[in-house]
Amino acid sequence: MSATLHITNGDIAADLLRRSHLSGDILPWRDALHEGPVLAGLAFPELSRRRAAFITEAGWTTAAETRRFFDERAAALAVPDREEVVLWFEHDLYDQLQLLQVINLYADQRPARLTLIEIGEFPGIAKFLGLGQLSPAQLVSLFPMRRAITPDMVALARSAWAAFTADDPHSLKSILRAETFSMPFLQDAVMRHLEEFPSAENGLGRTERQLLSAALEDRTLLHLFNASQRREERAYMGDTIVKWRLRLMAGGNAPLITGRARRLSFDLPDKAFWDQEAVLTPVGRAVVDEKEDAIRVRGIDRWFGGIHLTGPSPAWRWSQRERRLIPAPSL
């Protein structure tokens, strides 16, 4: 095992780091913390166990694959006496949540040197989406610019992680008013997280709204995915999770979306799946037009970090018009 550990968001960036020939072990974090429960007060091994169970239940990977990923992560983190841990992360919600978790993990047991490479743009790339766009040589060019994780950053990461994992959103809202210069992408990520709460206008979170609005034109699922991605200031959700979100909207007692000739099939190979034509159901069209409320007709059972919204009257809604989270009135 190397004295240096590089931690990054997922397998694409990890593979590029391996090809860059930077010395050190490389660990992809691989956890989409913006989906499913992330509860406060759990020790890291227990939270990892619960996250693995959620990922398996969601069907993103098999139980064996998930167990292997998390076992590899635990083994890499358990290596003692690292001289340096280098964190490679981006500007979007997916990465910022991982960054918060990793900083919190190292807050009390810091290596000799804990450093960060965090970017939201790169010279010559008009629309920067992430580290996966870069070549190994471009990644190497970032390495000398890494900066030390400071006590101020640790304190902010502690507060933000506690807010994200709390069972009410009040402390999350306080992050939007806090001094966050040491983590310049954090507030935008928190705002994007809040936008996923069911809206006060029709019960849809932002991703659902973007996907269903694209379906007004009766286009393929690939069109819906690409249209939604284009509307993101900082795209953070990959095809696996978008497919899962589509499955949720196509299921239940009042589906919002279906196929043109038959119900959408979620067991097809990738190309065949994304080539399916999608149409809004009558309920879906009424919801998009804000003539019906998705939560009223379908209910909700979703986690937002440590907040669990259930039933026909969830406690919180996102007001698109006011750009803030509000207590939800009973419908």
Side-chain angles (χ1 to χ4, degrees):
M1 292 290 182
S2 172
T4 301
L5 175 64
H6 301 271
I7 300 178
T8 191
N9 54 16
D11 289 288
I12 295 175
D15 181 60
L16 289 168
L17 283 171
R18 293 186 187 99
R19 290 164 51 198
S20 75
H21 304 301
L22 285 169
S23 64
D25 299 325
I26 297 166
L27 173 62
W29 205 249
R30 292 191 180 110
D31 194 357
L33 294 160
H34 50 80
E35 306 292 340
V38 189
L39 304 176
L42 297 182
F44 182 70
E46 175 60 16
L47 179 56
S48 296
R49 186 188 68 79
R50 295 200 185 193
R51 292 297 303 167
F54 167 75
I55 290 168
T56 300
E57 183 180 350
W60 302 342
T61 62
T62 66
E65 288 173 324
T66 307
R67 184 165 52 251
R68 177 172 62 83
F69 293 158
F70 278 76
D71 286 349
E72 289 174 355
R73 188 171 78 172
L77 294 171
V79 174
D81 302 323
R82 296 280 192 188
E83 291 181 6
E84 183 174 6
V85 175
V86 187
L87 312 182
W88 299 73
F89 288 99
E90 302 156 11
H91 55 344
D92 58 71
L93 176 60
Y94 176 86
D95 278 55
Q96 290 295 298
L97 293 177
Q98 291 182 349
L99 178 59
L100 293 179
Q101 186 178 28
V102 174
I103 292 177
N104 274 265
L105 185 62
Y106 279 106
D108 296 321
Q109 299 178 344
R110 298 181 69 179
R113 194 172 185 209
L114 183 64
T115 57
L116 172 64
I117 294 164
E118 182 187 38
I119 62 173
E121 59 185 12
F122 193 89
I125 297 180
K127 183 173 177 57
F128 178 77
L129 300 175
L131 294 169
Q133 289 176 286
L134 306 184
S135 69
Q138 288 171 322
L139 284 176
V140 170
S141 74
L142 296 171
F143 191 64
M145 293 183 279
R146 65 197 189 281
R147 57 189 174 116
I149 299 289
T150 64
D152 284 349
M153 293 173 68
V154 171
L156 178 56
R158 282 185 185 273
S159 296
W161 183 252
F164 175 67
T165 59
D167 60 5
D168 74 74
H170 289 99
S171 50
L172 258 182
K173 291 189 286 186
S174 71
I175 298 296
L176 297 176
R177 300 188 294 270
E179 169 57 71
T180 61
F181 285 149
S182 61
M183 299 185 71
F185 304 120
L186 177 60
Q187 287 184 332
D188 284 349
V190 170
M191 180 64 77
R192 185 63 189 85
H193 171 64
L194 293 175
E195 289 175 335
E196 284 300 291
F197 279 72
S199 76
E201 290 75 15
N202 62 4
L204 297 177
R206 176 173 166 178
T207 298
E208 297 166 325
R209 189 166 64 252
Q210 289 172 174
L211 291 167
L212 292 183
S213 294
L216 284 168
E217 302 174 3
D218 297 354
R219 303 289 290 275
T220 66
L221 292 177
L222 182 61
H223 170 82
L224 270 59
F225 175 79
N226 288 333
S228 180
Q229 294 292 87
R230 286 193 296 270
R231 293 180 65 178
E232 294 285 351
E233 297 82 11
R234 294 169 177 167
Y236 72 97
M237 194 179 296
D239 58 351
T240 296
I241 297 177
V242 170
K243 181 178 180 179
W244 178 68
R245 289 288 198 91
L246 288 166
R247 181 192 289 270
L248 295 178
M249 289 193 291
N253 60 348
L256 303 177
I257 194 169
T258 189
R260 175 170 293 282
R262 58 181 182 177
R263 298 191 69 157
L264 295 170
S265 173
F266 289 85
D267 299 319
L268 297 172
D270 271 355
K271 185 178 187 310
F273 170 77
W274 292 106
D275 282 346
Q276 293 180 98
E277 288 192 83
V279 298
L280 293 174
T281 65
V283 173
R285 184 170 290 272
V287 168
V288 170
D289 291 340
E290 297 186 4
K291 296 176 181 177
E292 184 58 273
D293 186 89
I295 305 301
R296 189 189 72 79
V297 296
R298 289 169 51 84
I300 189 172
D301 184 2
R302 278 196 60 200
W303 286 89
F304 299 81
I307 299 170
H308 191 195
L309 298 186
T310 60
S313 300
W316 297 96
R317 295 270 191 147
W318 172 256
S319 172
Q320 297 177 60
R321 297 183 179 94
E322 299 177 29
R323 303 291 299 160
R324 67 186 182 95
L325 208 60
I326 58 175
S330 299
L331 295 178

Coordinates of all heavy atoms in Angstrom, one line a residue, residues 63 86 88 97 103 117 119 129 144 148 150 157 171 195 210 217 227 232 240 259 272 285 293 300 303 308:
A63 N -25.9 -7.1 -5.2 CA -25.5 -7.2 -3.8 C -24.0 -7.5 -3.7 O -23.3 -6.9 -2.9 CB -26.3 -8.2 -3.0
V86 N -5.2 12.9 -0.9 CA -5.6 13.9 -1.8 C -7.0 13.7 -2.3 O -7.4 12.6 -2.8 CB -4.7 13.9 -3.1 CG1 -4.9 15.1 -4.0 CG2 -3.2 13.8 -2.6
W88 N -10.0 14.6 -4.8 CA -10.3 15.1 -6.1 C -11.8 15.2 -6.3 O -12.5 14.2 -6.5 CB -9.7 14.2 -7.2 CG -8.2 14.0 -7.1 CD1 -7.5 13.3 -6.2 CD2 -7.3 14.5 -8.1 NE1 -6.2 13.3 -6.6 CE2 -6.0 14.1 -7.7 CE3 -7.4 15.3 -9.2 CZ2 -4.8 14.4 -8.4 CZ3 -6.2 15.6 -10.0 CH2 -5.0 15.2 -9.5
L97 N -21.4 16.5 -1.7 CA -21.9 15.7 -0.6 C -20.8 14.7 -0.3 O -20.5 14.4 0.9 CB -23.2 15.0 -1.0 CG -24.4 15.9 -1.1 CD1 -25.6 15.1 -1.5 CD2 -24.7 16.7 0.2
I103 N -14.4 14.7 4.3 CA -13.7 15.6 5.3 C -14.1 15.3 6.7 O -13.3 15.3 7.6 CB -14.0 17.1 4.9 CG1 -13.4 17.5 3.6 CG2 -13.6 18.0 6.0 CD1 -13.7 18.9 3.1
I117 N -8.2 19.0 -4.4 CA -8.3 19.6 -5.7 C -9.7 19.6 -6.1 O -10.4 18.6 -6.1 CB -7.5 18.7 -6.8 CG1 -6.0 18.7 -6.5 CG2 -7.8 19.1 -8.2 CD1 -5.3 17.6 -7.1
I119 N -12.5 21.7 -8.6 CA -12.6 22.6 -9.8 C -14.1 22.6 -10.3 O -14.8 21.7 -10.2 CB -11.7 22.2 -10.9 CG1 -12.0 20.8 -11.5 CG2 -10.2 22.3 -10.4 CD1 -11.2 20.4 -12.7
L129 N -18.2 19.7 -17.2 CA -19.1 18.8 -16.5 C -18.4 18.0 -15.3 O -19.1 17.7 -14.3 CB -19.7 17.8 -17.5 CG -20.5 18.4 -18.6 CD1 -21.0 17.3 -19.6 CD2 -21.7 19.2 -18.1
P144 N -0.2 20.1 -8.8 CA 0.5 21.1 -8.0 C -0.3 22.1 -7.4 O 0.1 22.9 -6.5 CB 1.5 21.7 -9.0 CG 1.5 20.6 -10.1 CD 0.2 20.0 -10.2
A148 N -4.3 22.8 1.1 CA -4.5 22.1 2.3 C -6.0 22.3 2.8 O -6.5 23.3 2.7 CB -3.5 22.6 3.4
T150 N -8.1 23.2 5.6 CA -7.9 24.1 6.7 C -8.9 23.8 7.9 O -9.9 23.2 7.6 CB -8.0 25.6 6.3 OG1 -9.4 25.8 5.9 CG2 -7.1 25.9 5.2
A157 N -17.4 21.9 6.9 CA -17.9 20.6 6.5 C -18.6 19.9 7.6 O -19.6 19.2 7.3 CB -16.7 19.8 6.0
S171 N -31.3 23.7 9.7 CA -29.9 23.9 9.7 C -29.4 24.0 8.2 O -28.4 24.6 8.0 CB -29.1 22.9 10.5 OG -29.5 21.6 10.2
E195 N -33.9 22.0 -4.1 CA -34.8 22.0 -5.3 C -35.4 20.6 -5.6 O -36.4 20.5 -6.4 CB -34.1 22.5 -6.5 CG -33.8 24.0 -6.5 CD -32.9 24.4 -7.6 OE1 -32.2 23.6 -8.2 OE2 -33.0 25.6 -8.0
Q210 N -38.1 18.4 -14.9 CA -37.3 18.6 -16.2 C -37.6 17.4 -17.1 O -37.8 17.6 -18.3 CB -35.8 18.7 -15.8 CG -35.5 20.0 -15.2 CD -34.0 20.1 -14.7 OE1 -33.6 21.2 -14.3 NE2 -33.3 19.0 -14.7
E217 N -43.3 16.6 -25.6 CA -43.1 16.4 -27.0 C -43.2 15.0 -27.5 O -43.0 14.7 -28.7 CB -41.8 17.0 -27.4 CG -41.6 18.5 -27.1 CD -40.3 19.0 -27.4 OE1 -39.4 18.3 -27.9 OE2 -40.0 20.2 -27.1
A227 N -32.3 16.4 -22.4 CA -33.0 17.7 -22.2 C -32.8 18.1 -20.7 O -32.6 19.3 -20.4 CB -34.4 17.6 -22.6
E232 N -29.4 21.7 -16.4 CA -28.7 21.8 -15.2 C -27.5 22.8 -15.3 O -26.7 22.7 -16.2 CB -28.1 20.4 -14.8 CG -29.1 19.3 -14.5 CD -29.8 19.5 -13.1 OE1 -29.3 20.4 -12.3 OE2 -30.8 18.8 -12.8
T240 N -27.7 6.0 -14.7 CA -28.3 4.9 -13.8 C -29.3 5.5 -12.9 O -30.4 4.9 -12.7 CB -27.1 4.3 -13.0 OG1 -26.2 3.6 -13.9 CG2 -27.7 3.3 -12.0
G259 N -45.0 4.3 -22.0 CA -44.5 4.2 -23.3 C -45.6 4.5 -24.3 O -46.8 4.6 -24.0
A272 N -31.6 -0.1 -26.2 CA -33.0 -0.3 -26.4 C -33.9 0.4 -25.4 O -34.9 0.9 -25.7 CB -33.3 -1.8 -26.4
R285 N -49.6 14.7 -17.4 CA -49.8 16.0 -18.1 C -50.5 17.0 -17.2 O -50.1 18.2 -17.2 CB -50.7 15.8 -19.4 CG -50.8 17.0 -20.2 CD -51.4 16.7 -21.6 NE -50.5 16.0 -22.4 CZ -49.6 16.6 -23.2 NH1 -49.5 17.9 -23.3 NH2 -48.8 15.8 -24.0
D293 N -51.7 17.7 -8.4 CA -50.5 17.6 -7.5 C -50.1 16.1 -7.4 O -50.8 15.2 -7.0 CB -50.8 18.1 -6.1 CG -49.6 18.1 -5.2 OD1 -48.9 19.2 -5.2 OD2 -49.3 17.1 -4.5
I300 N -45.8 10.0 -1.4 CA -44.3 10.1 -1.5 C -43.7 9.2 -0.5 O -44.3 9.1 0.6 CB -43.9 11.6 -1.4 CG1 -42.4 11.7 -1.7 CG2 -44.1 12.1 0.0 CD1 -41.8 13.1 -1.8
W303 N -36.3 9.8 0.7 CA -35.3 10.4 1.7 C -34.6 11.5 1.0 O -34.2 11.5 -0.2 CB -34.3 9.3 2.1 CG -34.9 8.3 3.1 CD1 -35.5 7.2 2.8 CD2 -34.8 8.4 4.5 NE1 -35.8 6.5 3.9 CE2 -35.5 7.3 5.0 CE3 -34.3 9.4 5.4 CZ2 -35.6 7.0 6.4 CZ3 -34.5 9.2 6.8 CH2 -35.1 8.0 7.2
H308 N -37.0 12.2 5.9 CA -37.9 11.2 5.2 C -39.3 11.8 5.0 O -40.0 12.1 6.0 CB -37.9 9.9 6.1 CG -38.5 8.8 5.4 ND1 -39.0 7.7 6.1 CD2 -38.8 8.5 4.1 CE1 -39.4 6.8 5.2 NE2 -39.3 7.3 4.0

